[in-house]
Amino acid sequence: MSFLEAILRIPLTRKQPILYGFMFLFGISSLFTLSSRIDMRQESDLVHQLAESQTEYNKLDDNYRKKVEEVQVLRQQLEALTNDSPTKVLSETQTNSKTVSHNVINLTPFQKNPIDSSDMMRLPSGYDFLPHLLLSPSSINPSFILSKGRTGVSVAFGIPTVKREDQIYVLATLQNLLDGMSQVEKDNTIIIVLIAETNEDYILQITNSIQHDFQPHLDSGLIEVIVPAASFYPDLSKIKTNYLNEPTDRFHWRTKQNLDFAYLMMYSHTKSKYYVQLEDDILAIPNFATIMVKAAHEETATKESWVVIDFCNLGFIGKLFKSVDLPQFAQFLLMFHTAKPVDWLLHYFISTLVCHLEKDHDSEFGKVALYFPHKNPDASVYSEAIGYKRHTLQQVYTGKNFFWSLQSQYMDHMWFVFKEPLIIKRYLFRSGNAEHPSYIFCNTSVEVLPKNPLPESERLPRTDDGYIVVGAFNSKGVAEGTLGRRYGLIRELRLTIYGDYNHVVILSEIHIEPENSS
């Protein structure tokens, strides 16, 4: 018998009080639920207001410091024009005044140093780190800009893009971001695309494509496009301070990347309360903007200070900063743009601000997985691409470490010879890792050697030595696919490199799944 049936079987004189009592209890419960929801909403509103107040204070403080700096510059210029220090002028005025006390009159006036002090003391600036800009100070300004001047929004998303050989990723990324945003989010957001190239034909191609696909969002001010002047970049061939002894092209690439990020931050920091660093080939979840801003508000309201909120464990993607902090980090990037990759510099920047010397820095941020272990089939592993120290191909295959090759050459092979031939259900090879997301394989194929030759009627791409090409690494450094019974029992799997890598490559995950695995 149900609870309701039991109530209905009670005589009328007794039924009504019980029903009323049930309704009363339900009403009290509803009131508590409603009260709880109101309290939660009030708490959320309070957190939002506290965060808004804090960010507004930070913005005003930043503007104040800029005005003070401008006043100091004007003061120095005035001092240089008059060739007299304000201190001396003030002293002489006091000495000649009839209202000055006897003690002050007897003071010896401050004597100006015969050496011009303006040439002795000055604050360091970006010109110290990019001295070539002294030849053309206007080089800091964009050479091309599409902007409606939107400011005052909650968050700005910075997307640098460079020319790639295979396709243009930034268009798909922009569409993905827009698809994941509500209209309210679009009205309170700005997306800034930095075309970090100097080739005018390519710049024109990208800008025309963005205008063609996203003109309404350009008109609303949601999307902006900027291009640095070619003269903003130094002559990379003249930079010799390669601290990591990297291959030249790798060194030049990541040095320029640091300058790209710094430029984007310098341009963006007055646009919004928060800034998020993205790349041109990412995918975002729905309502990502609201999620990020809410997290930033909560951190701002509950902590005295914070440096960065990390929404992605890969490289320099998904890092959220307070916009008022961008000039400091941008200057840090400019100071060390030749020294280290940007993700390393971010780590050092954070540890410098928040870590004590006696503490283990890693414990401050948590550990990030640098390789992903799997139980792979028994196999003998060989490689012509030599692993660095303990970072061998055998180690990544057995799930003990990642494979790290300092230099790989054209037609280098990596073999996996299985103890027992097997049907491969699925394979996965992932290159790069969280600390080195750019150390990836490209121009590299995945090949298999069946135990029994497949008939020629199976029109499959084959190598001269009889291997069947079943896949290749994509632009993100991942190769994955399914095989199944079509290929029969596989005796060997092989990776073949079809390009010379003058930079480090990392293989962080290998997963070969037999068909009979659970």
Side-chain angles (χ1 to χ4, degrees):
M1 182 183 299
S2 69
F3 178 72
L4 183 57
E5 288 174 336
I7 292 176
L8 293 177
R9 290 176 183 271
I10 298 174
L12 180 62
T13 55
R14 297 176 58 192
K15 183 193 319 180
Q16 289 177 336
I18 293 177
L19 285 173
Y20 291 153
F22 179 75
M23 293 169 64
F24 174 75
L25 290 174
F26 179 78
I28 291 294
S29 176
S30 299
L31 286 174
F32 277 121
T33 302
L34 179 60
S35 174
S36 176
R37 289 178 180 175
I38 292 174
D39 290 343
M40 291 178 63
R41 185 163 58 247
Q42 289 176 341
E43 181 180 354
S44 177
D45 291 343
L46 181 59
V47 168
H48 179 79
Q49 292 172 10
L50 286 172
E52 290 283 346
S53 299
Q54 183 62 47
T55 53
E56 188 63 27
Y57 168 79
N58 291 338
K59 182 178 179 181
L60 291 173
D61 183 61
D62 182 56
N63 289 336
Y64 169 76
R65 285 186 280 107
K66 290 177 182 176
K67 296 300 181 184
V68 171
E69 181 181 350
E70 292 173 0
V71 170
Q72 293 294 343
V73 171
L74 290 174
R75 180 179 180 275
Q76 291 178 0
Q77 293 175 346
L78 179 62
E79 181 178 336
L81 289 173
T82 60
N83 206 28
D84 284 316
S85 71
T87 308
K88 179 179 179 181
V89 173
L90 179 61
S91 298
E92 291 176 349
T93 302
Q94 290 176 336
T95 303
N96 295 330
S97 173
K98 296 180 181 180
T99 60
V100 175
S101 68
H102 179 73
N103 290 336
V104 175
I105 293 175
N106 289 336
L107 290 174
T108 303
F110 174 78
Q111 299 297 319
K112 185 175 180 179
N113 193 313
I115 302 176
D116 187 358
S117 62
S118 64
D119 293 333
M120 295 176 61
M121 297 291 294
R122 67 177 182 85
L123 290 173
S125 70
Y127 295 118
D128 293 286
F129 318 122
L130 297 175
H132 71 282
L133 293 179
L134 289 169
L135 302 176
S136 178
S138 62
S139 296
I140 193 67
N141 298 322
S143 64
F144 177 86
I145 184 170
L146 287 174
S147 172
K148 291 295 182 179
R150 177 181 284 197
T151 59
V153 296
S154 289
V155 59
F157 294 95
I159 306 176
T161 184
V162 296
K163 185 177 181 180
R164 301 173 187 257
E165 293 184 0
D166 46 0
Q167 60 178 306
I168 299 173
Y169 292 97
V170 69
L171 301 177
T173 295
L174 286 173
Q175 188 61 59
N176 172 258
L177 295 179
L178 294 172
D179 290 343
M181 297 170 66
S182 67
Q183 188 57 49
V184 173
E185 289 175 314
K186 292 176 181 177
D187 293 338
N188 200 27
T189 299
I190 186 170
I191 301 172
I192 302 169
V193 178
L194 172 76
I195 305 176
E197 292 288 350
T198 58
N199 183 285
E200 293 185 1
D201 291 337
Y202 181 75
I203 293 171
L204 189 61
Q205 178 188 0
I206 296 294
T207 53
N208 285 343
S209 297
I210 293 177
Q211 286 179 305
H212 179 271
D213 294 350
F214 307 104
Q215 189 61 54
H217 303 296
L218 290 167
D219 293 338
S220 69
L222 172 58
I223 295 178
E224 292 191 5
V225 180
I226 60 171
V227 181
S231 53
F232 167 73
Y233 299 100
D235 185 348
L236 297 178
S237 65
K238 295 182 180 180
I239 300 177
K240 305 300 182 184
T241 52
N242 188 347
Y243 299 107
L244 301 181
N245 295 320
E246 297 172 290
T248 301
D249 58 343
R250 167 73 187 176
F251 169 63
H252 289 167
W253 173 81
R254 58 104 170 150
T255 294
K256 178 183 175 296
Q257 186 184 58
N258 285 336
L259 297 177
D260 293 339
F261 286 131
Y263 192 94
L264 189 48
M265 290 179 175
M266 290 187 293
Y267 175 84
S268 304
H269 90 278
T270 60
K271 299 282 187 178
S272 59
K273 297 171 185 175
Y274 304 111
Y275 173 85
V276 178
Q277 186 64 60
L278 300 179
E279 290 191 4
D280 64 354
D281 57 352
I282 57 97
L283 294 175
I285 64 173
N287 301 316
F288 63 93
T290 297
I291 294 171
M292 289 180 167
V293 171
K294 181 180 179 182
H297 280 347
E298 291 174 352
E299 290 294 314
T300 302
T302 58
K303 293 186 178 180
E304 292 184 3
S305 62
W306 53 271
V307 181
V308 63
I309 301 176
D310 193 350
F311 291 93
C312 179
N313 62 0
L314 295 178
F316 199 52
I317 305 172
K319 307 299 184 281
L320 184 147
F321 300 83
K322 289 171 285 188
S323 293
V324 294
D325 292 342
L326 291 181
Q328 185 180 26
F329 183 57
Q331 186 160 5
F332 191 82
L333 290 181
L334 294 180
M335 288 174 65
F336 301 107
H337 67 279
T338 64
K340 300 283 172 50
V342 65
D343 46 342
W344 292 17
L345 292 179
L346 176 62
H347 180 86
Y348 296 139
F349 181 73
I350 296 172
S351 62
T352 300
L353 290 176
V354 303
C355 290
H356 299 292
L357 290 176
E358 66 272 15
K359 289 187 177 181
D360 177 17
H361 287 202
D362 289 338
S363 63
E364 297 286 341
F365 310 111
K367 294 183 178 180
V368 177
L370 300 182
Y371 62 94
F372 304 92
H374 294 283
K375 182 173 175 57
N376 290 309
D378 288 341
S380 299
V381 179
Y382 311 95
S383 176
E384 292 175 330
I386 305 302
Y388 176 66
K389 293 186 177 180
R390 294 182 296 106
H391 300 282
T392 63
L393 189 63
Q394 177 70 30
Q395 290 286 87
V396 67
Y397 188 77
T398 55
K400 298 177 181 178
N401 211 324
F402 57 89
F403 173 59
W404 183 328
S405 176
L406 296 179
Q407 190 170 8
S408 303
Q409 299 178 351
Y410 177 74
M411 293 305 293
D412 273 355
H413 299 292
M414 286 159 273
W415 290 275
F416 307 89
V417 182
F418 302 113
K419 299 293 185 182
E420 296 290 339
L422 54 91
I423 294 176
I424 296 178
K425 178 180 178 181
R426 175 178 175 268
Y427 67 85
L428 168 67
F429 295 90
R430 188 185 308 278
S431 59
N433 61 22
E435 287 191 352
H436 308 286
S438 60
Y439 292 175
I440 62 175
F441 281 95
C442 56
N443 297 326
T444 300
S445 65
V446 181
E447 304 160 358
V448 296
L449 184 64
K451 177 182 177 181
N452 302 311
L454 298 185
E456 292 296 329
S457 58
E458 289 281 357
R459 297 186 176 181
L460 299 170
R462 304 169 190 260
T463 65
D464 293 339
D465 53 354
Y467 286 79
I468 299 174
V469 180
V470 295
F473 284 78
N474 61 25
S475 61
K476 295 183 179 180
V478 176
E480 59 182 331
T482 57
L483 299 184
R485 293 184 173 273
R486 177 186 182 185
Y487 294 86
L489 294 172
I490 302 300
R491 188 170 62 191
E492 296 180 23
L493 186 147
R494 183 176 76 177
L495 303 182
T496 301
I497 298 173
Y498 288 97
D500 285 327
Y501 292 144
N502 293 321
H503 59 82
V504 173
V505 289
I506 285 176
L507 196 57
S508 56
E509 183 176 9
I510 299 177
H511 188 197
I512 298 174
E513 183 181 353
E515 188 177 66
N516 59 357
S517 64
S518 56

